[in-house]
Amino acid sequence: MYLGISCTGHDNALALVDDNGKVLYAQASERDYQSKQAFGLVADQPRKVASLIKRFAPDTTSITICKSWPENTAARMQAEIDKIEVDNVDDYIEQFVAESLKAELSSNKNHIFLPNIAIAGGGTQRVARQLEIDTFTRHFDHHSTHAAFACYSSPFDKAVCLVVDGYSEDTAQSAFLFENNQLTRLEYPRYSGKFNRLAASLGVYYGVTICQLCGFETNAGEEWKIMGLAPYGKIKPELLEVLRRYITVQDGQLIMPETSAAAQVDLAEFRCGYHEDAETCADLAHTAQAYFVELMVQVLNYLYELTGIENIVLSGGCALNSAFNGMVLQQTPFKDIFIPSAPSDDGNAIGAALLGVKHDAPQTIIKNAYQTPYLGDEIDEQEVAHFVAKSGWRNVERLEYPALYQAVAQALADGDIVAWVQGRAEFGPRALGNRSILADPRSFAMKAKINAAVKFREPFRPFAPIVLHEKGEQYFEHYHDTPYMEKVLNFKPEVCAQVEAVCHADNTGRLQSITKARNEHLYALIEAFEQRTGVPIILNTSLNVMGKPMVSSLNDVVMTFLTTDLDILVIGQYLFRK
């Protein structure tokens, strides 16, 4: 049995994989702690690990603990940072990276990076001793764990995989060849002396530099607001000129000069918080997103020329840029694309475990094509029944599933906002219909209502359309199957008025394609909604409020229901009304 741990210090996660590479369980730590991104919180709590062993591997005699970073990572990164004299650095972006990484490496300051690598696995070892189970520990390099989860979950037998994130051991960008069920790292040209590898990071560019320019929080996952705000803006030529001057692609690698003395001044003059000037901030976001696309297209074109392979797999935090993901097949020579449900660091828990399987049995064929995202915890039906009996909740009924679909579909068509909880929780940052808020997509007013009274967030934030897969081509241009809500596509002009609540300012939607095989309950619900409205789409957003992760426990669900303007709560077959 293999227990994978993502131990970066943010987006920590836990995964359980059997000896054949089948993923049995995976969940981000933020769900258990109800702390967004679970900064500094170790993933393998003893009680959690004990329950997983009891459920999934009661007869196991050994567990291999697989971590998502090499054992000497903290020391190596500290040595890199110590080379930079932060007080004398002229380059704004380089300076911020240095300060940011120093903060993460400081065990006395933020307790983020160093303790997580060292402590991860301790809870598992403690439980294993009590259960008389042998443990072994393996460390894997960070980008390989990204690539392993992505490639072994993909439908491809042969592909090139690009990993782009904030940073790894010594680079923020790696490429791999995936062939014959094996991963091989591709060698890029390595720049030293004239170029700073840590500063040349699209993850830092997007999640730090641009996030700061727009006044969003760099350590609160708010970089994703940039994507939502960008369609409301236009190109700001003077900012684009500065970005092109300081950040470029050479031989497929993102680079920037080590001494760009004017960068700090040039970029700082554009800083404008969203609440200070929404229009100007939208222009910053639009320009930054456009340049992100420009840079990524150059990198991907280089990879295609280098390999000639037509299938591309994207992973790393930058693979969550769904607006770019939807453009790849139109703007590069690649013919097919795959992005896993959790391309950020949480997915590395699965990736590390899969690498552990391959390390011990290299001939094992791992094939998880369409890896179900429903890998997390579930709410026990008996717990719900007990809650109903003890709470005295009067307006509740338990319906058989055909009747439940019809009742909820009618409520949606009537304008009710529904909290929908079914089965096991999704693995990854997107609500994919098991921990979701659902609503009618036809009215623009619905978007404003949910943002203001349910999610408590900015009005520009979009909502996702879930579409029946077989109807996707009727609604989207260049339709491509999108099982994990990983791509933004353009709505066809003639259908925009039918789905105003999920049609963004630029007539796009971050869609999820749904089939009966992937999610039987959600598929049947949308079918019932289509029967009433003629629209095979419903609005979807994660079941949480701004600043909190998706709900996990029954208590999380009920509290969110009672403290927002949600109208209906469905947990399994139970339907609650206020």
Side-chain angles (χ1 to χ4, degrees):
M1 191 61 59
Y2 294 81
L3 187 133
I5 305 177
S6 173
C7 51
T8 300
H10 64 79
D11 293 313
N12 295 333
L14 200 63
L16 200 63
V17 172
D18 72 13
D19 293 349
N20 297 312
K22 180 181 179 181
V23 182
L24 305 176
Y25 176 89
Q27 183 156 290
S29 303
E30 67 172 18
R31 307 293 176 84
D32 295 300
Y33 290 111
Q34 281 297 291
S35 175
K36 193 70 173 175
Q37 296 186 293
F39 280 100
L41 302 175
V42 293
D44 63 325
Q45 312 161 52
R47 184 176 298 179
K48 181 82 173 185
V49 173
S51 69
L52 292 178
I53 293 173
K54 179 180 179 181
R55 177 177 178 182
F56 294 104
D59 299 322
T60 191
T61 58
S62 69
I63 292 177
T64 301
I65 300 165
C66 304
K67 301 187 186 184
S68 64
W69 290 87
E71 191 170 8
N72 66 342
T73 297
R76 288 180 59 195
M77 294 190 73
Q78 185 66 67
E80 288 276 351
I81 295 303
D82 287 343
K83 296 176 184 177
I84 303 174
E85 296 180 8
V86 177
D87 293 338
N88 299 319
V89 171
D90 292 322
D91 190 303
Y92 163 72
I93 300 177
E94 182 180 340
Q95 181 176 8
F96 193 96
V97 175
E99 292 175 344
S100 174
L101 291 182
K102 278 193 171 181
E104 289 209 49
L105 288 165
S106 171
S107 60
N108 295 322
K109 189 173 182 180
N110 287 337
H111 301 279
I112 294 178
F113 195 92
L114 178 60
N116 272 272
I117 294 178
I119 295 173
T124 304
Q125 291 171 337
R126 175 180 167 186
V127 170
R129 284 195 296 269
Q130 294 172 347
L131 298 177
E132 298 183 344
I133 295 173
D134 294 330
T135 61
F136 308 90
T137 301
R138 305 206 189 286
H139 292 257
F140 298 97
D141 76 87
H142 189 65
H143 278 188
S144 291
T145 62
H146 272 301
F149 174 45
C151 289
Y152 290 121
S153 300
S154 79
F156 305 138
D157 294 321
K158 183 176 182 179
V160 59
C161 175
L162 176 66
V163 179
V164 185
D165 60 6
Y167 56 85
S168 65
E169 296 82 13
D170 62 357
T171 183
Q173 179 184 322
S174 299
F176 297 79
L177 175 65
F178 179 63
E179 188 175 17
N180 299 323
N181 212 238
Q182 301 292 332
L183 282 169
T184 305
R185 187 186 292 268
L186 296 177
E187 289 301 321
Y188 272 112
R190 292 295 181 184
Y191 298 105
S192 61
K194 293 183 179 180
F195 301 104
N196 185 305
R197 291 174 295 171
L198 290 176
S201 164
L202 267 179
V204 171
Y205 158 77
Y206 207 96
V208 176
T209 306
I210 302 305
C211 211
Q212 283 193 331
L213 289 184
C214 294
F216 297 136
E217 290 291 332
T218 60
N219 289 326
E222 292 196 338
E223 62 267 31
W224 310 119
K225 293 182 181 181
I226 298 169
M227 275 188 293
L229 184 59
Y232 291 93
K234 60 185 182 299
I235 290 291
K236 196 173 185 64
E238 56 271 36
L239 174 60
L240 186 58
E241 189 276 329
V242 171
L243 293 174
R244 284 176 173 164
R245 189 190 317 153
Y246 293 117
I247 309 172
T248 60
V249 172
Q250 182 174 326
D251 295 327
Q253 280 276 38
L254 190 75
I255 59 173
M256 62 180 299
E258 203 172 68
T259 54
S260 300
Q264 182 175 3
V265 175
D266 287 352
L267 287 171
E269 71 178 49
F270 294 103
R271 188 173 297 182
C272 176
Y274 170 75
H275 297 290
E276 300 168 12
D277 186 340
E279 185 175 347
T280 298
C281 190
D283 291 345
L284 298 180
H286 183 91
T287 306
Q289 174 66 22
Y291 195 51
F292 178 93
V293 171
E294 186 177 315
L295 293 168
M296 284 290 285
V297 166
Q298 292 180 54
V299 172
L300 288 179
N301 284 340
Y302 176 87
L303 274 181
Y304 184 83
E305 292 174 6
L306 182 68
T307 66
I309 296 173
E310 296 186 337
N311 298 321
I312 182 69
V313 174
L314 298 180
S315 191
C318 289
L320 285 171
N321 195 304
S322 50
F324 167 71
N325 296 343
M327 301 178 180
V328 170
L329 298 185
Q330 283 70 56
Q331 297 201 20
T332 75
F334 289 102
K335 298 296 188 289
D336 208 352
I337 183 172
F338 177 80
I339 302 104
S341 66
S344 194
D345 280 13
D346 47 351
N348 293 353
I350 293 180
L354 295 178
L355 288 176
V357 173
K358 278 291 191 178
H359 179 277
D360 292 343
Q363 302 308 313
T364 300
I365 301 299
I366 301 174
K367 193 65 177 176
N368 293 328
Y370 184 62
Q371 172 64 64
T372 178
Y374 308 113
L375 294 165
D377 290 332
E378 58 189 323
I379 296 174
D380 184 70
E381 185 174 348
Q382 290 301 314
E383 185 182 4
V384 182
H386 182 76
F387 168 73
V388 171
K390 296 297 183 181
S391 68
W393 203 299
R394 295 182 179 180
N395 202 350
V396 58
E397 53 186 330
R398 188 178 187 278
L399 301 172
E400 295 301 316
Y401 273 115
L404 180 69
Y405 307 142
Q406 298 299 324
V408 176
Q410 187 61 55
L412 291 169
D414 291 340
D416 285 342
I417 304 174
V418 178
W420 179 260
V421 178
Q422 297 290 331
R424 295 177 67 177
E426 302 90 335
F427 181 57
R430 313 297 189 204
L432 301 174
N434 276 16
R435 300 293 183 273
S436 287
I437 294 172
L438 306 177
D440 190 336
R442 296 174 295 169
S443 168
F444 183 80
M446 182 60 75
K447 175 182 175 181
K449 180 180 179 181
I450 298 176
N451 269 329
V454 178
K455 301 286 283 189
F456 308 119
R457 65 185 196 179
E458 299 90 348
F460 67 81
R461 303 283 293 277
F463 294 109
I466 307 180
V467 62
L468 297 180
H469 173 53
E470 63 270 23
K471 304 295 178 69
E473 290 186 354
Q474 299 176 23
Y475 281 81
F476 294 95
E477 297 178 346
H478 304 292
Y479 175 74
H480 191 274
D481 189 20
T482 308
Y484 305 124
M485 205 188 291
E486 73 275 17
K487 293 185 285 291
V488 168
L489 299 181
N490 288 292
F491 279 104
K492 292 184 174 180
E494 63 270 21
V495 304
C496 291
Q498 300 176 28
V499 288
E500 290 186 341
V502 293
C503 186
H504 202 26
D506 55 352
N507 292 339
T508 62
R510 190 184 70 200
L511 69 150
Q512 176 191 358
S513 308
I514 195 71
T515 66
K516 188 174 184 179
R518 292 174 189 161
N519 192 320
E520 180 180 1
H521 298 314
L522 186 60
Y523 185 89
L525 175 60
I526 299 175
E527 275 193 320
F529 182 78
E530 183 186 19
Q531 291 169 3
R532 286 164 171 76
T533 64
V535 176
I537 291 174
I538 55 175
L539 178 153
N540 176 36
T541 187
S542 55
L543 182 48
N544 66 338
V545 296
M546 189 175 75
K548 294 286 288 182
M550 273 187 276
V551 297
S552 182
S553 68
L554 177 59
N555 182 68
D556 299 334
V557 174
V558 173
M559 288 301 295
T560 302
F561 182 52
L562 291 177
T563 57
T564 65
D565 280 0
L566 288 164
D567 299 299
I568 289 174
L569 168 61
V570 177
I571 309 177
Q573 294 178 265
Y574 287 91
L575 190 152
F576 299 82
R577 299 179 187 270
K578 290 181 178 176

